[in-house]
Amino acid sequence: MSGSGPEAPQPSEAAEARLQEAEQDWAAAKAFYDNLVTKKPRPPKPQNAITVAVSSRALFDLVEERRIYQEQGVEKYVEYQQNNENVTLKPGPAFYFVKALEHVNARLLELYPDDEERFDIVLMTNNHAQVGVRLINSINHYGLTIERFCMTGGQSPIGYLTAYLTNLYLSADSEKVQEAIEAGIASATMFTANKDVSYSDTQLRVAFDGDAVIFSDESEQIVKEQGLDRFFEHEQLNENKPLAQGPLKGFLEDLGKIQKKFYAKNERLNCPIRTYLVTARSAASSGARVLKTLRSWGLEIDEALFLAGAPKGPILVKIRPHIFFDDQMFHIEGAQKLGTIAAHVPYGVAQKYNKSS
């Protein structure tokens, strides 16, 4: 029988052939979907996007559903969600922030129709898949562009954040947020405002605390452990030494990259993103180091407000941010009372002193 017909391919050759066939299949599938005509923008590739993962309880108001889950168990919870899957969920604390991100995306697509550097919203939830229909119906009702879901059926979704290349994670679950922070992912726990206020439809407004949010908590440690006078002395001595970065520095940097895309099109005065630093620091005593640190990073902040220990709530009422990040719960609670949607960043020495959870 030898010499009759071609030789059988070696195992390595067979594996290579299968790989080439798989690549051809992928290329054919990609070409098919690329040629589909649709008015809806496709999600950007994860490696090009700024990925913001939100939980279902951050995106929507699920207080009643949460009560059913806690009091009656998961089976009754799933049954309730299925029976009400055509009842639209009301907005949750992250809803208007997500809407503002999508407005920025729409503006970007007008200026850069082929560019994929824009925001990609991922619904990251431990909900069961059976609940997905209600979530999808509500997302479609509001016209949100959320194509990527991660529904983990009762398991923690935190392990998926890295796989989804997450730049920011927002949740109503403080334990999951703490877990994400410890994994090195920018994260915050969302809190609903106690008053209804209107938010800008044309400009995303993001307010940040400084220490333990944009910056590390190194200076805050001195305040807590050695007092204000030692803190002022330390900051003046180290004025020209940049602060180390904090957990939200990367997201501020992401916002800055998108802003520069608008500036490049002569849209600085009409930019749909505005950033704010709202800090308890005093300008004269400790403000220079903050501004010089931002400069050393090549980052711009649109407005810097040094409050010298005054409450942040009244200033935030004027700004009306879609989200305000702070590491201290008494600032979060003060902002909430006056109608600001606040996000707690559980990072740094202040967590030892927080009384609320």
Side-chain angles (χ1 to χ4, degrees):
M1 298 292 291
S2 61
S4 60
E7 294 183 9
Q10 297 299 312
S12 60
E13 294 175 346
E16 186 176 342
R18 285 196 298 270
L19 180 60
Q20 289 177 348
E21 185 176 339
E23 289 177 349
Q24 289 169 357
D25 289 344
W26 173 255
K30 183 178 184 301
F32 172 77
Y33 284 106
D34 284 347
N35 289 328
L36 288 176
V37 177
T38 176
K39 294 181 180 179
K40 199 168 186 178
R42 293 191 182 88
K45 294 176 183 176
Q47 61 266 35
N48 299 329
I50 298 166
T51 299
V52 177
V54 295
S55 73
S56 55
R57 287 200 294 135
L59 185 62
F60 295 118
D61 180 350
L62 288 166
V63 172
E64 175 62 17
E65 290 78 2
R66 179 71 173 172
R67 184 189 65 78
I68 292 170
Y69 172 78
Q70 291 176 327
E71 295 179 1
Q72 301 180 40
V74 65
E75 298 304 325
K76 289 292 184 182
Y77 167 78
V78 171
E79 179 184 345
Y80 178 87
Q81 292 283 40
Q82 289 179 325
N83 291 339
N84 289 274
E85 63 187 23
N86 292 318
V87 178
T88 303
L89 293 163
K90 294 180 180 179
F95 180 87
Y96 295 103
F97 174 64
V98 168
K99 287 279 286 185
L101 292 175
E102 295 199 345
H103 173 73
V104 174
N105 279 352
R107 289 282 309 277
L108 281 170
L109 286 168
E110 291 173 1
L111 298 174
Y112 301 92
D114 299 319
D115 193 345
E116 289 198 326
E117 189 177 24
R118 59 182 188 272
F119 298 105
D120 186 21
I121 314 302
V122 173
L123 188 69
M124 185 75 60
T125 174
N126 63 350
N127 258 302
H128 291 258
Q130 296 93 319
V131 180
V133 173
R134 191 180 189 194
L135 295 172
I136 291 169
N137 287 344
S138 296
I139 285 168
N140 288 337
H141 171 83
Y142 292 111
L144 299 176
T145 303
I146 302 178
E147 303 291 354
R148 302 191 208 276
F149 275 39
C150 179
M151 307 184 71
T152 63
Q155 300 300 308
S156 173
I158 299 304
Y160 289 98
L161 292 173
T162 301
Y164 276 79
L165 303 181
T166 302
N167 298 83
L168 176 67
Y169 172 57
L170 301 174
S171 174
D173 189 325
S174 60
E175 291 183 2
K176 290 186 177 66
V177 167
Q178 183 68 61
E179 190 179 343
I181 283 282
E182 290 171 1
I185 296 166
S187 310
T189 307
M190 298 296 300
F191 290 87
T192 304
N194 293 348
K195 295 181 180 180
D196 290 332
V197 300
S198 59
Y199 301 95
S200 174
D201 293 327
T202 58
Q203 186 179 64
L204 167 65
R205 298 176 185 172
V206 184
F208 298 88
D209 179 30
D211 294 293
V213 176
I214 298 175
F215 314 112
S216 75
D217 69 334
E218 60 186 88
S219 296
E220 203 160 77
Q221 289 182 37
I222 295 174
V223 175
K224 299 294 186 185
E225 296 168 6
Q226 301 180 43
L228 274 176
D229 289 340
R230 181 69 186 93
F231 164 72
F232 292 144
E233 179 185 346
H234 176 269
E235 292 305 284
Q236 290 171 354
L237 287 172
N238 292 277
E239 179 179 315
N240 295 312
K241 179 184 177 182
L243 289 153
Q245 70 179 47
L248 269 293
K249 184 253 189 176
F251 186 63
L252 175 61
E253 196 169 30
D254 292 331
L255 293 174
K257 288 178 183 177
I258 299 298
Q259 284 179 307
K260 287 177 181 177
K261 295 174 81 72
F262 288 98
Y263 300 166
K265 296 287 187 178
N266 199 29
E267 291 282 322
R268 179 180 283 270
L269 298 180
N270 195 31
C271 182
I273 300 175
R274 193 161 185 83
T275 56
Y276 304 80
L277 172 67
V278 183
T279 174
R281 283 178 177 248
S282 303
S285 304
S286 57
R289 190 181 185 195
V290 163
L291 298 177
K292 288 184 177 182
T293 296
L294 291 171
R295 185 193 303 167
S296 73
W297 291 344
L299 294 182
E300 294 183 26
I301 199 93
D302 293 305
E303 298 189 29
L305 299 111
F306 294 90
L307 303 185
K312 297 182 179 182
I315 293 295
L316 292 166
V317 169
K318 170 64 177 173
I319 296 171
R320 293 192 180 184
H322 293 91
I323 192 167
F324 162 59
F325 295 101
D326 203 291
D327 67 306
Q328 301 195 55
M329 279 304 302
F330 72 89
H331 287 312
I332 297 291
E333 291 161 357
Q336 271 186 288
K337 288 176 184 177
L338 296 180
T340 295
I341 292 175
H344 178 238
V345 180
Y347 175 83
V349 67
Q351 305 321 303
K352 297 178 183 178
Y353 300 85
N354 282 330
K355 301 300 182 184
S356 303
S357 60

